[in-house]
Amino acid sequence: MPEFKHHNRSVFYDTLGAGPAVVFQHGLGADRRQALGALSELRGCRVIGMDAPGHGQTIGGSGPYGFGDFADCVLGLMDHLGIESAVLGGISMGSGIGLAAALRAPKRVRGLLLVRPAWLATTSPPNLEIVARIGHWIEDAGVDQARKQLEADPFYAELFNTNTNCAASIAGVFTRPQALESASVLHQMVDDRPFSSMGDLGEVHCPTLVVTNESDPLHPMGLGDELARAIGGAQHEVVPPRYTAAADHQSALTQAIQKFLDGSCV
């Protein structure tokens, strides 16, 4: 598996396809397979997905973790691959990483793909509170006890009855490779933010696609609405729900991103 060194850490990544670069990042608690799988049907581009520190094969330990650090890591990957500029973005946390990178190095970002964003300009968004709690539970009591605490949590219990697939995605953090070692990445990232104010988004001038869906309590559609309004000229595409219509969601996501890339960035 290809890797590169960033701040004396081995960071693992993978690529798919050929053509102009699209550096696409996974969500919190996931890994590069999520990112690459989401864009596996795209044509005419080279999709690059990286295991962020504390995720997948990229060892993280206790951190510290933050959007700025992860954005620098993505830019370091581009340096390693000799990529001067690329389309950046990702799913949930990955979309925040793409935004953070665009604000740090705007000349290196040809476009942004912000899929199911979960953060705006405030730390500890309420939609992600359960994820932060899990991180603390694992640190305090270990994976098995934290799982029991999650099952007893009222919010999770209600979600399990009303949106089983969303509940399963939350519980998936217990089976990730670094569930215990890098538990702190869960609450540290929730406690961070990709930009400091909504006004910062006025500095984003590259073509931008925001993709949202309904029936997704972790990624409320309203957050995507706010992002799209704050980024001048951003396109906003609503696709079928990820947790209740997965196949339709994936098909619509591929179509929306392909159209955006063909028309704006590639």
Side-chain angles (χ1 to χ4, degrees):
M1 189 62 57
E3 62 182 271
F4 74 105
K5 291 289 186 181
H6 183 74
H7 295 167
N8 297 316
R9 174 187 282 133
S10 293
V11 179
F12 290 82
Y13 66 95
D14 214 339
T15 65
L16 181 69
V22 176
V23 183
F24 197 71
Q25 281 303 112
H26 58 77
L28 180 59
D31 58 41
R32 65 184 184 275
R33 294 174 297 176
Q34 180 198 48
L36 293 171
L39 303 192
S40 61
E41 299 300 318
L42 291 182
R43 306 180 310 274
C45 60
R46 180 190 184 194
V47 180
I48 303 163
M50 177 193 80
D51 285 345
H55 294 79
Q57 291 180 276
T58 302
I59 302 301
S62 60
Y65 303 102
F67 281 100
D69 295 330
F70 285 8
D72 285 344
C73 198
V74 166
L75 295 170
L77 173 59
M78 292 171 61
D79 290 340
H80 170 73
L81 295 173
I83 298 170
E84 182 61 30
S85 64
V87 175
L88 265 58
I91 299 169
S92 189
M93 179 185 77
S95 68
I97 295 170
L99 268 172
L103 291 169
R104 294 166 94 85
K107 292 182 179 180
R108 304 199 66 180
V109 183
R110 296 199 316 273
L112 283 169
L113 299 172
L114 310 180
V115 178
R116 296 162 61 212
W119 281 261
L120 291 176
T122 57
T123 61
S124 303
N127 50 297
L128 298 176
E129 180 183 353
I130 186 67
V131 180
R133 290 207 301 270
I134 292 172
H136 286 295
W137 290 339
I138 294 174
E139 281 189 312
D140 293 342
V143 172
D144 292 341
Q145 184 61 34
R147 193 190 303 269
K148 294 177 182 179
Q149 289 176 275
L150 177 65
E151 291 171 353
D153 183 86
F155 171 80
Y156 179 79
E158 180 179 357
L159 190 62
F160 186 83
N161 290 325
T162 59
N163 195 331
T164 304
N165 289 332
C166 182
S169 75
I170 293 173
V173 300
F174 292 116
T175 60
R176 67 192 194 93
Q178 301 184 59
L180 180 60
E181 177 189 14
S182 298
S184 64
V185 73
L186 301 179
H187 61 77
Q188 287 188 42
M189 291 306 297
V190 173
D191 291 344
D192 198 20
R193 54 187 177 177
F195 47 92
S196 59
S197 75
M198 295 301 290
D200 292 344
L201 299 180
E203 300 301 316
V204 177
H205 302 298
C206 61
T208 300
L209 174 67
V210 180
V211 180
T212 61
N213 59 188
E214 296 179 332
S215 304
D216 191 337
L218 298 180
H219 310 92
M221 190 183 302
L223 299 187
D225 287 336
E226 290 191 54
L227 279 179
R229 288 196 300 268
I231 300 173
Q235 302 176 40
H236 183 194
E237 187 77 21
V238 179
V239 299
R242 167 68 180 86
Y243 295 123
T244 60
D248 292 340
H249 172 89
Q250 182 58 54
S251 177
L253 177 65
T254 299
Q255 183 176 359
I257 293 177
Q258 188 74 65
K259 181 178 179 181
F260 172 75
L261 293 177
D262 290 345
S264 303
C265 300
V266 174

